[in-house]
């Protein structure tokens, strides 16, 4: 594993270090974990394409075609439930 030096404002480094410490991690471990959880633009585009295909398959199979408002409501409900479970 190679190391890399990055230049960021001191305030940003201190904030990241505090977040990492609160989670019991070093700043290095926290940044490595963060990098593993974020999607690249190509990965986001691929995921969006798969979601569009899944929605098209659902619509063809059973007529399910939620409006944008319905999708937003479902996303909000999922966020609420996840926050309940994770305590956030």
């Amino acid at each position: 594993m190679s190391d890399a030096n990055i230049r960021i404002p001191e305030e940003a480094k201190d904030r990241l270090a505090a977040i990492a410490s609160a989670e019991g991690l070093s700043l290095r471990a926290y940044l490595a974990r963060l990098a593993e959880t974020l999607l690249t633009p190509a990965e986001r585009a691929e995921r969006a394409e798969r979601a569009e295909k899944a929605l098209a398959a659902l619509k063809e199979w059973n007529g399910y075609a939620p409006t944008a408002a319905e999708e937003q409501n479902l996303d909000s409900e999922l966020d609420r439930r996840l926050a309940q479970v994770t305590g956030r």
Side-chain angles (χ1 to χ4, degrees):
M1 173 177 8
S2 65
D3 285 337
N5 292 318
I6 59 171
R7 297 181 64 87
I8 61 172
E10 189 74 23
E11 300 81 24
K13 182 193 79 75
D14 292 344
R15 179 175 172 80
L16 290 169
I19 293 167
S21 178
E23 295 189 23
L25 298 170
S26 68
L27 179 55
R28 180 182 182 170
Y30 179 77
L31 290 174
R33 187 180 75 180
L34 182 63
E36 291 173 4
T37 63
L38 298 175
L39 299 175
T40 65
E43 291 167 334
R44 283 195 302 275
E46 180 183 332
R47 188 172 284 188
E49 184 178 327
R50 284 196 322 255
E52 286 178 25
K53 287 180 181 179
L55 282 174
L58 279 172
K59 183 177 180 182
E60 182 179 325
W61 177 59
N62 68 2
Y64 180 73
T67 65
E70 289 170 329
E71 285 185 23
Q72 180 59 48
N73 288 340
L74 291 169
D75 286 345
S76 295
E77 178 63 14
L78 179 58
D79 289 343
R80 184 189 68 77
R81 290 183 186 195
L82 287 171
Q84 235 178 1
V85 170
T86 61
R88 292 184 181 174

